[in-house]
Amino acid sequence: MESWNISKKLKSELLKKSSNIEDNSRRILFILRNLGPQRFTNLIKHSNLSRSTVSKYLNIHSKKGNIEQKLITDKATNKQYQGYVITDKGIEKLGEEPLKLKDELFLINELKENVRKLEDLIDFYKKINVEDPFIIHIVRIISKIGDNFFELQQDRDLYLSLFYIFYNSILGQGALARKYWHFDKSSSQKFVGYKLNLDQFSNLYNVSREAINYLARIKLIKSDFGFYLIKRENNDFFFHEEDLVGTTTIRLIKDRLIDEIINLQEGIYDMIYDLDIIAEEITDQLKEMGLIWDAIEEQFQLLVLNLIIKNAIEMGFLDIEREKLMEVITQSHKLSMSEEGKLLQKNILNGLKIELNLNILTLLPDSI
């Protein structure tokens, strides 16, 4: 059986549609139906699902006769490989009911409802003279957090803690903060603000330092809310998984790990991957994109390193290449430079359950 040959544009459109299919089981069938025979590693890449999830649904579909494995001849190289193919039964199964795509109208209505819930927050920011583009940016991200945010007590401390996070965000330092003006009530003058540490912010906005420390640095820095924090001396640098820095960073990490899975599966090259080098390369890419800058480059590498390991475990590296993952974790010099990295390294090597908050990076003294 020969592999399919479709245009890049069509392939891109099909993959975009497949990523919008809520049912993971049907997403696998859709890819095989429209993109043709696929290697296991390609299914991981195209479906944007974990290795274990793809394996689970392939086994289910195989048992039900919806798919089968066949020897495929690659048209471009004339080489053969074992690939997954959808059967007539699978095609029938896929066509039994309309694909349930993520309803854009539902998302719009949900956004409207979330914005309505944030009216008090918006009014508060207007009273303290936060500019409209800054408010829109905050509301857009908070709306994506959803119900978890609205379970928190909605009050002045929370609103100012959020403002502290966004004002000191990595994205804000690069783009928003340069445009933002504080309002000095004592002089009735506007002045350009670039960065405020915790004490400066608390004094300027007459808010408890302890409240900001708890809400901005502890409570909201959890995976449930999607914020990340890099702490360096008295300075805090935040980003969110749904902002440009967050989405780009996570995408680069997952793409690199998918490449490593493909290499481990197919043995395409012999190079032994180095986690420290991968973290440096991903950070260099972000720097070239203008998303981070020299002053935080080394600290950001350490956070990326922790996230590489976290995502590698979630994607099944401990199942497919435990010894090699243990080896590179042992050899990493950068892991021991942050509190979280040091604990992560210790827990993995000692076989302990990983119960660490890796959304935060705390530098150890004299590490950089």
Side-chain angles (χ1 to χ4, degrees):
M1 184 174 182
E2 291 186 339
S3 60
W4 287 19
N5 187 15
I6 62 176
S7 69
K8 290 183 179 179
K9 182 179 179 180
L10 177 58
K11 183 177 181 179
S12 176
E13 290 174 354
L14 289 169
L15 288 176
K16 184 177 181 180
K17 185 172 183 179
S18 73
S19 67
N20 204 25
I21 298 173
E22 292 182 329
D23 186 339
N24 293 337
S25 175
R26 303 195 74 201
R27 187 184 300 184
I28 298 293
L29 292 179
F30 178 89
I31 290 171
L32 293 176
R33 177 71 177 98
N34 291 281
L35 270 65
Q38 299 291 317
R39 290 185 174 93
F40 177 68
T41 48
N42 282 346
L43 278 172
I44 295 173
K45 184 175 182 179
H46 293 333
S47 66
N48 201 26
L49 300 172
S50 70
R51 180 186 178 88
S52 58
T53 300
V54 172
S55 179
K56 169 188 172 182
Y57 287 111
L58 287 177
N59 287 333
I60 291 172
H61 285 311
S62 294
K63 290 177 180 178
K64 292 183 176 180
N66 296 330
I67 64 171
E68 58 186 14
Q69 278 189 291
K70 286 189 176 182
L71 195 62
I72 310 300
T73 302
D74 190 319
K75 286 183 178 181
T77 63
N78 204 34
K79 292 183 178 179
Q80 292 187 319
Y81 63 90
Q82 281 289 329
Y84 288 91
V85 179
I86 190 168
T87 63
D88 289 340
K89 186 177 179 181
I91 294 172
E92 184 179 342
K93 175 68 178 176
L94 184 63
E96 282 180 358
E97 59 186 65
L99 292 172
K100 292 183 180 179
L101 303 181
K102 297 171 183 175
D103 192 335
E104 291 183 0
L105 181 60
F106 171 78
L107 293 177
I108 290 172
N109 289 335
E110 185 180 41
L111 175 61
K112 287 181 179 178
E113 177 63 18
N114 286 342
V115 172
R116 186 191 62 76
K117 292 178 183 177
L118 291 170
E119 286 177 354
D120 288 344
L121 176 145
I122 294 169
D123 289 342
F124 175 78
Y125 287 154
K126 286 183 176 180
K127 286 179 183 177
I128 64 172
N129 296 290
V130 179
E131 286 192 343
D132 290 344
F134 214 117
I135 294 175
I136 291 172
H137 175 67
I138 294 173
V139 171
R140 182 170 64 246
I141 298 298
I142 297 304
S143 296
K144 292 181 180 180
I145 295 174
D147 292 340
N148 286 330
F149 175 77
F150 297 109
E151 289 175 2
L152 299 173
Q153 181 173 331
Q154 307 291 302
D155 57 18
R156 184 176 186 272
D157 285 350
L158 177 63
Y159 299 160
L160 285 174
S161 296
L162 278 170
F163 184 48
Y164 175 79
I165 287 175
F166 282 96
Y167 183 77
N168 290 291
S169 72
I170 291 175
L171 192 63
Q173 295 304 299
L176 293 172
R178 289 190 180 93
K179 301 177 182 178
Y180 183 69
W181 294 73
H182 286 304
F183 184 71
D184 185 353
K185 295 180 181 178
S186 62
S187 63
S188 297
Q189 298 287 327
K190 283 190 174 183
F191 61 93
V192 175
Y194 187 67
K195 186 164 181 61
L196 295 171
N197 64 32
L198 185 58
D199 291 327
Q200 292 169 330
F201 186 91
S202 300
N203 290 334
L204 180 62
Y205 288 101
N206 190 27
V207 60
S208 163
R209 184 186 187 280
E210 289 71 24
I212 300 295
N213 182 62
Y214 172 69
L215 287 167
R217 290 172 147 192
I218 300 173
K219 183 67 175 178
L220 291 169
I221 306 301
K222 294 180 178 179
S223 58
D224 288 347
F225 299 101
F227 290 105
Y228 292 84
L229 167 62
I230 296 174
K231 294 168 66 176
R232 187 186 67 180
E233 298 177 349
N234 293 325
N235 294 313
D236 293 335
F237 299 91
F238 298 89
F239 66 95
H240 190 269
E241 64 186 12
E242 291 286 354
D243 69 22
L244 186 58
V245 175
T247 55
T248 306
T249 300
I250 300 302
R251 183 69 266 157
L252 289 174
I253 289 172
K254 289 189 174 181
D255 283 349
R256 185 59 184 267
L257 288 172
I258 287 172
D259 288 346
E260 294 298 338
I261 288 175
I262 293 171
N263 177 54
L264 291 170
Q265 189 80 12
E266 306 295 336
I268 298 171
Y269 55 84
D270 297 327
M271 185 185 299
I272 297 176
Y273 59 93
D274 184 310
L275 295 179
D276 291 355
I277 292 176
I278 293 176
E280 290 173 7
E281 291 174 347
I282 290 174
T283 306
D284 285 343
Q285 287 179 272
L286 293 165
K287 188 177 170 185
E288 289 172 5
M289 295 175 188
L291 296 178
I292 62 170
W293 60 97
D294 291 346
I296 64 167
E297 179 180 3
E298 292 182 89
Q299 291 89 347
F300 204 87
Q301 284 177 9
L302 303 185
L303 180 61
V304 167
L305 177 59
N306 291 344
L307 295 180
I308 289 171
I309 297 173
K310 175 185 177 182
N311 280 274
I313 293 171
E314 290 175 352
M315 292 171 70
F317 270 70
L318 281 176
D319 299 326
I320 63 174
E321 204 69 30
R322 171 178 286 271
E323 290 185 9
K324 183 162 286 189
L325 184 60
M326 292 294 188
E327 178 185 347
V328 294
I329 287 174
T330 303
Q331 292 174 347
S332 171
H333 297 294
K334 294 182 182 293
L335 275 173
S336 59
M337 296 171 72
S338 72
E339 290 181 14
E340 294 76 21
K342 193 171 183 178
L343 283 171
L344 178 61
Q345 187 178 46
K346 179 182 177 181
N347 284 10
I348 291 174
L349 296 179
N350 290 335
L352 302 175
K353 187 175 182 180
I354 301 171
E355 294 180 341
L356 302 173
N357 183 7
L358 297 177
N359 286 37
I360 186 170
L361 180 91
T362 310
L363 290 173
L364 289 169
D366 303 320
S367 61
I368 293 180

